[in-house]
Amino acid sequence: MSIALLLPMAACSVALAAWWWVEHLYRRPLKRLINHLDAVEPPAIGEALPSGPAPQGTLIDQLNQRIIRLNDMNHRLQEQAIKDPLTGLGNRRLLEQRLDIALPLSRRWMHTISALVIDVDHFKEYNDLYGHQAGDECLVEIANVLRDTFRRETDIVVRLGGEEFLVVLLDADEDEAVGLAEAMRGMLQAVGIEHEASSVADVVTVSIGVAVTQTGEPLSLDAMIATADTALYACKAAGRNRVISRPVSPSDDTAIPSIA
């Protein structure tokens, strides 16, 4: 066979090999990935992402859009993971994430940190009298009052569970923390949510235990909650619907918090 015939055949073989390589190693995997991404459903919790036909354009354009969509879905799931679904406040996970950064910085800068544990007075009796739906609405209203009271970007407001809330104030001493706690307590009482089953008042009230750290002293989240919890039970023993503060000491870190 002459060289004149071999050269076109060799060129054809090279072209076929190149086409096979592009088709099997690039185009087909991209198509399979895009088809797989098209089949991904939005998360069941929260608002679903809008559905529609696959976007037009090159494979790379479509792949980029699918990646953006998945990133958006992932962001929404992360937001849901750190928020309380009823009140929209943060949860314990958000609290720990923010304090992992805030506590070392506050200690380095010699700032005082205060923690407020807030408990709704006679909430079980409220649920028994008005029903759990009304109880949920009451908790949402309390969360709104908390937002209105603690507005600084550094204020951390979370729902610990049930009728218990926690506020962590960075760079806030005892006077400021107690003043804000009293303002929140008074604001909620002024809202006037009826509570005929309460032995404290004819409206919904809260008791607030305040824990105040010593400037620059090592501390932990459990120590702050344990101290605030102790102050909270002092409120209950004194008749509820009040604010009591306690200093956090290193020995409090070994206490067993009753609020988790």
Side-chain angles (χ1 to χ4, degrees):
M1 183 175 297
S2 67
I3 296 178
L5 292 175
L6 287 174
L7 288 176
M9 293 178 62
C12 182
S13 297
V14 171
L16 287 173
W19 173 87
W20 182 92
W21 186 87
V22 172
E23 180 68 22
H24 289 266
L25 300 184
Y26 177 70
R27 291 180 60 85
R28 289 188 180 182
L30 277 177
K31 288 180 179 179
R32 286 196 296 269
L33 178 58
I34 290 172
N35 289 336
H36 172 72
L37 293 175
D38 278 334
V40 174
E41 294 294 332
I45 303 174
E47 180 184 359
L49 293 173
S51 59
Q56 301 300 315
T58 67
L59 290 174
I60 296 299
D61 291 338
Q62 294 181 41
L63 180 59
N64 285 336
Q65 292 185 45
R66 295 302 182 277
I67 292 173
I68 291 172
R69 184 184 180 198
L70 285 179
N71 285 338
D72 186 33
M73 292 166 56
N74 184 56
H75 176 72
R76 293 187 184 207
L77 289 174
Q78 288 177 342
E79 285 289 315
Q80 292 164 4
I82 60 175
K83 286 189 176 182
D84 173 58
L86 174 63
T87 64
L89 298 177
N91 58 18
R92 178 81 180 226
R93 181 176 298 179
L94 172 67
L95 174 69
E96 292 173 347
Q97 286 180 2
R98 294 191 59 182
L99 287 183
D100 281 345
I101 300 174
L103 289 183
L105 289 177
S106 295
R107 191 161 58 244
R108 179 180 302 175
W109 294 335
M110 304 294 286
H111 287 173
T112 302
I113 301 176
S114 299
L116 289 64
V117 172
I118 301 154
D119 184 80
V120 185
D121 296 327
H122 299 298
F123 189 68
K124 180 181 182 301
E125 289 79 0
Y126 186 92
N127 274 333
D128 291 343
L129 178 61
Y130 299 102
H132 288 283
Q133 178 63 37
D136 287 347
E137 294 171 358
C138 175
L139 293 176
V140 171
E141 188 62 43
I142 293 172
N144 292 334
V145 174
L146 287 169
R147 289 190 188 93
D148 289 340
T149 306
F150 304 100
R151 297 183 177 183
R152 299 185 309 174
E153 291 184 0
T154 56
D155 295 345
I156 307 171
V157 185
V158 302
R159 181 187 178 199
L160 289 176
E163 69 274 21
E164 295 163 334
F165 301 85
L166 174 69
V167 178
V168 177
L169 303 175
L170 306 179
D171 194 18
D173 60 17
E174 182 175 16
D175 289 341
E176 183 177 1
V178 171
L180 287 169
E182 287 286 7
M184 182 270 160
R185 186 186 64 82
M187 189 182 302
L188 176 64
Q189 194 161 354
V191 170
I193 304 172
E194 182 180 353
H195 190 352
E196 293 182 356
S198 174
S199 61
V200 178
D202 56 1
V203 296
V204 171
T205 60
V206 292
S207 298
I208 305 177
V210 180
V212 184
T213 67
Q214 302 300 315
T215 302
E217 186 172 312
L219 53 93
S220 70
L221 173 60
D222 285 341
M224 289 190 295
I225 293 180
T227 303
D229 199 23
T230 300
L232 173 64
Y233 277 90
C235 292
K236 294 181 178 181
R240 303 175 191 262
N241 189 25
R242 65 192 66 238
V243 177
I244 293 178
S245 64
R246 294 281 187 272
V248 179
S249 64
S251 61
D252 291 330
D253 201 17
T254 60
I256 300 176
S258 60
I259 298 177

